[in-house]
Amino acid sequence: MNFASYQLSVGWDEFARFQSVMMEKTEITGSRIFKFGPFQLRPATRILEEAGQRVVVGDRAFDILCVLVQNNNDVFTVADLKQAVWKNVHVEDGVIRVHISALRKILGNEFIKNIVGRGYQFSGEIAAQGGRTSSPDIFYRDKLSKPPNYPLRLIGRDQVVEQVLERLHDKRFVTIAGPGGVGKTTLSLVVSRHLSAKFDEAICFVDLSPLSDASLVTSTIASSLGLSVSSDDPTTNLLKFVRDKTLLLVIDNCEHVIEGTAPIVEQIHAAAPDVHILATSREPLRVAGEHLLRVGPLDAPRIDEQATVADIARFSAMELFVERAAAAGSAAPLQDGDAALIGDICRKLDGLPLAIELAAARCDTYGLPELHAVLDDRVKMLWKGRRTAPTRHQTLDALIDWSFTLLGPDERSVLSAISSFQGAFRIRAAQAVAAPLCGENCDFREVFQYLVTSSLVTVDNTGTEPRYRLLDATRAYAALKLEGAPFRYKTKQRYLDYLLRAVEEADSAWRNQSADAWIKAHGAYVYDVRSALAFAFSDAASEEDKLTGIRLVARSSTIWFQLSLTSEYLKRLQTALAALDKRNEVLHPERMSICISLGYVTWHTTGRPSEMIRYFSEASDIAERLQDTPSRLLALWGLWRATSIAGDESKALAIADLHAALVDPVANPHDYLTNLRMKALSLHWLGEQRKASAITQEMQARQPAIASGWPGILLDAKVTSDSLMSRVYWLHGKPNLALQAAEDAADYALEKKHILSYCYSLVTGICPVSMWIGDFEGARYYAERLIALASSYGYSHWGSFGTHYLRALDHLSGNLTNVPQPDRQAHRNPFISELLLTVCPDALSADDFAQLEGNDARWYAPELLRLQAERLADVAGREALLDRSLSLARHQGALSWELRTTVSKARLWASADRSVDAREMLSDVMSRFDEGFETRDLVEANDFLEQL
């Protein structure tokens, strides 16, 4: 089981839009590269390198650097830089100085000069050069499901290709319609390759042929785009995602799920003006915006008896036949006298490319006259039996049926058995399912190769290992044969057993592959997992089959998380759990695994702690009784997280201690690092900032020796430690270090493409820190990022934080009309209420405020006491509360809380004619700061100090 795969479960395409916003702000020309000293700046891709190594730079600092570098030797005032980067939005002057300071730490002091009385200037020799034109959509393209890359040979379709290209350009939405076997898929792939450069490789290919349930169409499209599917209806998030994208969306094989395809395609076309859609179907989708292009047969006119092979080669149907016959190893070279027969064969096959290929593949067995006679009889017979089918469909069915009857018993059995596979498969998979059907003197690989040679099985050799598949028409025919075969049940059992082994191997491979490579190698298993589970939980399945299905659900977590199909996986998990309930096996290891998966799915979708606690507690209990330490560690981590979300941090710390008792730091360094994070966070929430800081520093020291993406760590360890340190730094009175650590965490998550880690860095690090230092526009910028990400990828739990942050910022600006009222259940998350208390207490309701009172063992307690004091009319009572606040702040080592409370107390003393004492007290606290003098609290404190 591998739950950390979830950390890369969604696509990163939304960052393209975010980065493009920043590109607009800095007016960067996309293809330029700027070199100065050991540094190389690539504005288009937002990359700064030093001696070939990428350097992490905060977003706003990067924008400022781009402005200065692209205007080398020009002097920019603070006002100039604010206008260039923030446009007309008000920000404090000190924010510019914070970012300039961060840049100097990276570049040194030689490049950015402070021109006294004027502003800032980039001073250094710059070599500018053209680079590959690029857009910031680099993450977006990485996550798209790309068209298959196998070799294509398209005969007689040049004019059709031109028509498709022209209509796509003019109309944006084209459906290629035609009978089965006419070559619609091949046409769509050829068109995709033609348009690859135009769309800068932003092409998404969605193959609907493996689907049997039309309700899965929208989630399949969303998953192919790299989106997380964490709700029953992902339509809203999908449409939000595509509305500002520029891409080509190819949707292949729509006809059998057309009722699920037509509505979502129509909505995409209406919502996304820069998305071009190319669909293939046997029938039109019949929706608004669709422009139909019907594809007919290849050119196969009647041939004169005197025609030569060279004469007929100029007709596309005959050209295809001659080429495929030669490729199949025709028994004898084709002679000029064969031309008329070839023409007649192609005409009888209605010019259908697939039918022609199937017939030509038999030229190694039959001579042309015999092939002509056999085809003539076979097609006539099938036509008589299927008068209700369209003529060309009858022809194709006749050819497949004829090809099937020509096979020997072993070949027929194997072809029927491998029709179980819903998409591409490897030969070892086919062997596991179909080899037992071969007779004693039969070699499976010889049988399989014969099916390939006969064009009944296609092969793709473009990867490291050949992949095979049955064309849709062939698979449909063979599947019907399998349904009536006496070996159907045993075949389905082997198919189910094979899928279980396959997903276990895929899960193990996750540790050694990048996410993209893993999805390419194993992602297609999801179609077969669906099919196998349909059998396992059917009425025909045995109790043993159902148990195998339960195991398959439990052990396929990596596939579902990696493909971002969390909503569908939730239903699979619930089905499996219900099946286990019927078996009354409460200590079953699969029950433990399913409960852990349910806990993690809940965390990143609804975020409801009560459900998480229920699932993780049951899993932990089972793991303890089964003495399964790795699973118990996973369950305890989830239980710690859920308990913390629920607000019981003391209990969460106790769970962290229980987790620690199971971990050997030497033997299990990854688990130990996870435990350090658990303890550090709990201590931070409990106000023990010195202890939290010490543990976090140990995390940072250990992290370089441990692979950041290790599966046991659900969120990247560097991101979590930097985010935590940003908070601790600010509380310790180091606002500049806090901002740098928060930006480091966010930028590192971007670099690693960890979407959950990035959301985490925004929620816990850069948004709070930006608000604390007074960079409200920066906080708004990141909160909007967070909301857009959560909306696109279905992470409502994370999005609720962004909504509350925006409402707090609107409270501060006096504008409460921009953001919708947050969900009240989400508002009860204690972390949100605690943060709002420290930033904008007016955004809290009386009930929310009351729930935070009376708990000195929390990180925010000194600030709560200060705010309570501010509300008191009684001077003595107010000073007593302020003294409690100061005492607690000093105990926590929270200099920032001490400063706020000291300002409040100084105001109280000043009003009582104790200005001298107030000045002395405030000066003493401010003298302990050595940075951040431009930030909000220090500016306010200094202004008041000057008034005393």
Side-chain angles (χ1 to χ4, degrees):
M1 180 179 297
N2 181 346
F3 300 99
S5 60
Y6 198 1
Q7 66 189 4
L8 298 179
S9 65
V10 298
W12 281 77
D13 37 299
E14 190 63 26
F15 292 132
R17 181 166 63 84
F18 299 142
Q19 303 289 25
S20 65
V21 170
M22 298 308 298
M23 297 287 287
E24 292 172 6
K25 289 186 175 182
T26 51
E27 300 176 3
I28 294 169
T29 47
S31 60
R32 305 269 285 173
I33 300 173
F34 300 89
K35 296 183 178 180
F36 51 94
F39 297 97
Q40 183 166 271
L41 178 69
R42 301 172 182 267
T45 52
R46 299 186 66 78
I47 291 175
L48 177 67
E49 295 176 330
E50 181 179 11
Q53 298 297 313
R54 185 167 181 177
V55 180
V56 176
V57 187
D59 280 336
R60 300 308 178 95
F62 189 94
D63 298 329
I64 292 171
L65 178 61
C66 288
V67 171
L68 294 174
V69 166
Q70 292 180 111
N71 298 277
N72 189 25
N73 293 321
D74 290 347
V75 177
F76 281 77
T77 65
V78 170
D80 291 335
L81 289 175
K82 288 196 292 185
Q83 178 62 25
V85 176
W86 282 270
K87 297 298 182 186
N88 297 317
V89 176
H90 174 73
V91 294
E92 299 293 335
D93 291 354
V95 173
I96 298 293
R97 289 190 283 273
V98 169
H99 290 302
I100 292 291
S101 174
L103 286 172
R104 284 175 172 159
K105 288 180 180 179
I106 295 170
L107 305 176
N109 295 321
E110 61 180 297
F111 291 111
I112 299 179
K113 302 296 184 184
N114 187 358
I115 309 302
V116 179
R118 296 179 61 195
Y120 298 99
Q121 176 191 58
F122 191 91
S123 179
E125 185 175 342
I126 297 177
Q129 63 185 52
R132 177 183 179 273
T133 300
S134 145
S135 81
D137 297 355
I138 48 177
F139 300 136
Y140 169 44
R141 292 180 182 81
D142 288 347
K143 287 298 179 181
L144 297 176
S145 294
K146 299 299 176 60
N149 196 34
Y150 45 76
L152 297 173
R153 172 84 166 99
L154 194 61
I155 294 176
R157 297 300 194 194
D158 291 348
Q159 185 176 358
V160 178
V161 170
E162 290 300 324
Q163 288 177 318
V164 175
L165 291 171
E166 181 179 345
R167 294 193 188 184
L168 267 177
H169 179 271
D170 295 338
K171 308 299 183 182
R172 285 204 303 117
F173 177 10
V174 176
T175 296
I176 300 174
V182 81
K184 300 184 295 295
T185 297
T186 303
L187 267 172
S188 72
L189 293 175
V190 170
V191 169
S192 298
R193 292 185 188 180
H194 274 283
L195 294 174
S196 179
K198 175 182 177 180
F199 285 93
D200 204 7
E201 300 181 6
I203 297 177
C204 180
F205 185 84
V206 186
D207 181 11
L208 300 181
S209 63
L211 295 186
S212 58
D213 184 351
S215 68
L216 295 176
V217 170
T218 300
S219 61
T220 299
I221 295 174
S223 180
S224 298
L225 288 166
L227 302 182
S228 173
V229 183
S230 54
S231 65
D232 290 340
D233 184 6
T235 301
T236 300
N237 290 336
L238 192 159
L239 296 178
K240 285 181 181 179
F241 178 81
V242 298
R243 64 188 175 191
D244 58 355
K245 298 295 183 295
T246 299
L247 63 91
L248 173 63
L249 181 61
V250 182
I251 307 178
D252 193 32
N253 295 296
C254 300
E255 60 276 349
H256 65 297
V257 285
I258 202 163
E259 65 273 21
T261 307
I264 187 60
V265 171
E266 182 176 33
Q267 292 178 76
I268 291 172
H269 178 257
D274 293 319
V275 172
H276 291 62
I277 301 170
L278 178 60
T280 73
S281 177
R282 293 190 181 188
E283 58 179 290
L285 273 61
R286 296 184 178 88
V287 295
E290 178 186 34
H291 291 267
L292 190 65
L293 183 64
R294 292 192 181 275
V295 180
L298 296 177
D299 191 15
R302 187 173 296 279
I303 300 300
D304 188 272
E305 294 289 340
Q306 307 304 315
T308 65
V309 172
D311 291 334
I312 66 170
R314 57 196 176 89
F315 300 113
S316 54
M318 288 71 156
E319 179 186 357
L320 177 63
F321 185 95
V322 170
E323 181 179 290
R324 293 299 188 262
S330 178
L334 297 175
Q335 305 296 323
D336 285 341
D338 299 327
L341 280 177
I342 293 173
D344 201 38
I345 288 173
C346 292
R347 233 177 20 263
K348 290 180 185 299
L349 298 178
D350 290 320
L352 289 175
L354 178 56
I356 291 171
E357 289 190 37
L358 290 172
R362 291 298 176 180
C363 281
D364 64 339
T365 305
Y366 298 93
L368 272 174
E370 186 179 357
L371 180 64
H372 177 271
V374 169
L375 286 175
D376 192 38
D377 293 341
R378 194 69 185 177
V379 171
K380 285 180 181 177
M381 182 184 72
L382 264 291
W383 280 1
K384 289 178 181 178
R386 302 180 183 173
R387 289 297 185 190
T388 58
T391 301
R392 292 193 179 97
H393 289 181
Q394 292 175 348
T395 301
L396 182 59
D397 290 346
L399 260 293
I400 295 174
D401 186 82
W402 171 69
S403 298
F404 190 83
T405 59
L406 291 178
L407 299 174
D410 292 326
E411 287 90 351
R412 288 197 294 269
S413 297
V414 168
L415 182 63
S416 299
I418 61 177
S419 70
S420 300
F421 293 102
Q422 304 300 299
F425 55 89
R426 297 173 177 86
I427 192 170
R428 63 177 181 271
Q431 188 166 6
V433 173
L437 297 174
C438 293
E440 292 183 3
N441 299 319
C442 169
D443 184 280
F444 169 78
R445 288 182 176 264
E446 288 184 3
V447 170
F448 189 79
Q449 187 56 47
Y450 184 75
L451 295 175
V452 174
T453 303
S454 302
S455 296
L456 292 168
V457 175
T458 63
V459 59
D460 174 10
N461 286 308
T462 56
T464 56
E465 184 179 1
R467 298 288 189 96
Y468 302 89
R469 69 180 300 153
L470 277 64
L471 296 179
D472 301 333
T474 308
R475 181 163 61 85
Y477 179 92
L480 285 175
K481 294 295 183 182
L482 178 61
E483 285 301 309
F487 50 78
R488 174 192 175 275
Y489 181 74
K490 290 293 185 182
T491 299
K492 290 294 185 181
Q493 280 187 318
R494 288 193 296 271
Y495 175 62
L496 177 62
D497 292 339
Y498 168 76
L499 259 297
L500 179 60
R501 296 194 302 273
V503 298
E504 289 173 340
E505 292 173 6
D507 188 70
S508 299
W510 165 253
R511 297 170 181 267
N512 304 312
Q513 288 182 291
S514 69
D516 291 342
W518 189 92
I519 290 174
K520 186 176 181 180
H522 307 289
Y525 280 142
V526 71
Y527 300 114
D528 286 309
V529 169
R530 284 171 175 154
S531 178
L533 291 177
F535 165 73
F537 293 109
S538 68
D539 293 338
S542 68
E543 287 302 310
E544 188 61 30
D545 295 331
K546 286 183 172 62
L547 181 56
T548 304
I550 291 168
R551 292 189 179 116
L552 182 56
V553 171
R555 300 176 194 182
S556 59
S557 60
T558 307
I559 290 174
W560 300 102
F561 284 144
Q562 273 298 297
L563 296 177
S564 306
L565 296 170
T566 51
S567 177
E568 183 180 351
Y569 190 38
L570 177 61
K571 295 177 183 177
R572 306 287 183 184
L573 289 166
Q574 290 169 338
T575 298
L577 193 61
L580 276 175
D581 287 340
K582 290 182 179 180
R583 296 175 65 90
N584 197 29
E585 294 185 52
V586 295
L587 289 183
H588 203 288
E590 308 307 338
R591 186 180 190 90
M592 172 188 65
S593 300
I594 288 169
C595 284
I596 292 174
S597 288
L598 281 167
Y600 284 115
V601 169
T602 303
W603 178 31
H604 291 298
T605 51
T606 65
R608 295 191 184 100
S610 58
E611 293 181 18
M612 294 169 61
I613 289 171
R614 174 162 56 88
Y615 291 132
F616 286 127
S617 295
E618 182 175 358
S620 177
D621 290 344
I622 297 173
E624 182 179 16
R625 295 165 73 177
L626 294 177
Q627 298 183 347
D628 184 343
T629 299
S631 294
R632 190 167 185 223
L633 289 173
L634 279 171
L636 286 173
W637 191 98
L639 187 57
W640 164 82
R641 177 72 269 179
T643 305
S644 179
I645 293 173
D648 192 348
E649 208 59 56
S650 296
K651 186 174 182 180
L653 183 59
I655 294 170
D657 290 337
L658 185 60
H659 183 280
L662 300 174
V663 175
D664 183 336
V666 178
N668 302 295
H670 306 95
D671 290 326
Y672 183 65
L673 191 65
T674 300
N675 184 257
L676 289 178
R677 173 176 172 259
M678 295 163 68
K679 287 182 176 179
L681 275 169
S682 288
L683 288 167
H684 166 67
W685 301 131
L686 289 169
E688 299 289 348
Q689 307 308 333
R690 293 187 180 90
K691 292 179 181 179
S693 178
I695 293 176
T696 304
Q697 289 171 7
E698 182 181 356
M699 286 175 62
Q700 293 173 325
R702 287 176 174 270
Q703 176 58 31
I706 300 176
S708 182
W710 180 79
I713 303 173
L714 293 172
L715 295 167
D716 184 89
K718 176 174 170 55
V719 173
T720 56
S721 61
D722 283 352
S723 296
L724 175 55
M725 277 308 301
S726 72
R727 300 173 63 87
V728 174
Y729 277 140
W730 186 83
L731 288 167
H732 281 339
K734 302 288 185 182
N736 290 2
L737 286 176
L739 182 61
Q740 187 61 57
E743 289 185 338
D744 286 348
D747 291 340
Y748 187 78
L750 277 176
E751 181 183 345
K752 293 298 182 182
K753 304 180 184 179
H754 288 191
I755 185 154
L756 293 178
S757 295
Y758 186 70
C759 288
Y760 181 89
S761 74
L762 299 183
V763 166
T764 64
I766 201 162
C767 281
V769 169
S770 295
M771 287 190 278
W772 286 332
I773 69 173
D775 182 8
F776 297 141
E777 183 54 32
R780 182 176 297 277
Y781 169 74
Y782 287 113
E784 288 173 347
R785 277 190 167 191
L786 178 61
I787 290 172
L789 275 174
S791 175
S792 291
Y793 302 117
Y795 296 135
S796 57
H797 167 63
W798 296 98
S800 65
F801 289 94
T803 301
H804 286 286
Y805 292 166
L806 286 187
R807 285 197 63 79
L809 292 166
D810 284 341
H811 265 284
L812 292 168
S813 68
N815 179 10
L816 298 178
T817 61
N818 292 337
V819 181
Q821 183 68 29
D823 177 81
R824 292 299 302 167
Q825 180 63 34
H827 197 277
R828 294 192 182 100
N829 185 312
F831 175 83
I832 294 176
S833 297
E834 291 171 4
L835 178 69
L836 294 182
L837 176 84
T838 68
V839 174
C840 183
D842 290 342
L844 290 174
S845 68
D847 289 343
D848 295 325
F849 199 93
Q851 288 178 5
L852 297 174
E853 293 180 317
N855 188 355
D856 285 359
R858 294 294 291 181
W859 67 283
Y860 62 86
E863 178 67 353
L864 175 62
L865 290 170
R866 184 187 74 84
L867 292 170
Q868 289 174 323
E870 295 280 4
R871 297 183 176 192
L872 286 180
D874 175 56
V875 174
R878 184 187 304 180
E879 186 164 357
L881 279 179
L882 292 174
D883 286 340
R884 278 183 59 194
S885 173
L886 285 172
S887 176
L888 191 55
R890 289 164 186 156
H891 171 76
Q892 291 186 2
L895 182 58
S896 289
W897 293 152
E898 188 176 350
L899 175 66
R900 288 190 180 184
T901 302
T902 301
V903 170
S904 292
K905 188 173 181 179
R907 293 184 187 279
L908 182 64
W909 281 4
S911 67
D913 295 327
R914 297 181 60 187
S915 295
V916 174
D917 294 337
R919 180 178 182 85
E920 181 180 348
M921 176 179 62
L922 185 54
S923 296
D924 176 65
V925 174
M926 290 189 65
S927 69
R928 289 152 57 194
F929 284 86
D930 58 9
E931 64 172 62
F933 299 107
E934 307 88 357
T935 58
R936 181 192 186 192
D937 288 350
L938 281 165
V939 168
E940 180 184 340
N942 188 65
D943 288 346
F944 182 65
L945 186 64
E946 291 178 353
Q947 296 172 20
L948 291 173

